Amino acid sequence: MTEEKTTPAEAQEVEATGHFITAGLAGKDVEVVPGGAWRQSTMRKLRAGDIDGFMEDVLSPDSYEVYLELDPTNDEIGEFANAAGEASGEQMGKSSGPSASSRRTRRK
């Protein structure tokens, strides 16, 4: 299971042409939309726990059928999301959040 890494510029080109990249899911290669092209509505499905809806949005139709047949675990879905992000040149990990201000505020 070899996953090709792409640069962010290559990922944008893939997005623009409507192509898919390859990522591993539970031991199978599937075609997925590059992470940078995932719609906010798709991300809301993921955050709401609608994994089937999320996967339907990000996988090619044939790969979605593979996903349904595989019935992957939550851990495998997490690994897939990270693999898809890496393959598309995106960081899919958690955001570090805003940094603390370096300026101290004066107490009154």
Side-chain angles (χ1 to χ4, degrees):
M1 174 170 75
T2 303
E3 293 166 5
E4 296 180 20
K5 299 221 184 234
T6 60
T7 66
E10 290 170 330
Q12 286 178 343
E13 183 177 331
V14 168
E15 290 172 31
T17 58
H19 291 102
F20 296 97
I21 59 170
T22 302
L25 173 63
K28 298 276 187 177
D29 284 342
V30 293
E31 294 179 319
V32 60
V33 174
W38 293 354
R39 299 267 178 210
Q40 290 305 301
S41 58
T42 299
M43 296 305 295
R44 283 191 295 276
K45 289 176 185 177
L46 180 61
R47 286 190 296 274
D50 180 5
I51 303 301
D52 288 342
F54 168 78
M55 295 300 275
E56 187 172 20
D57 287 356
V58 301
L59 294 176
S60 71
D62 289 340
S63 291
Y64 182 69
E65 292 300 320
V66 170
Y67 156 76
L68 291 174
E69 290 172 14
L70 288 172
D71 193 21
T73 65
N74 284 337
D75 287 342
E76 290 167 331
I77 294 294
E79 291 167 6
F80 160 77
N82 288 329
E86 288 176 12
S88 64
E90 302 286 329
Q91 291 291 339
M92 301 307 289
K94 291 186 176 184
S95 168
S96 61
S99 61
S101 173
S102 61
R103 292 180 44 191
R104 294 192 163 255
T105 55
R106 196 173 100 190
R107 293 183 185 220
K108 291 186 177 189

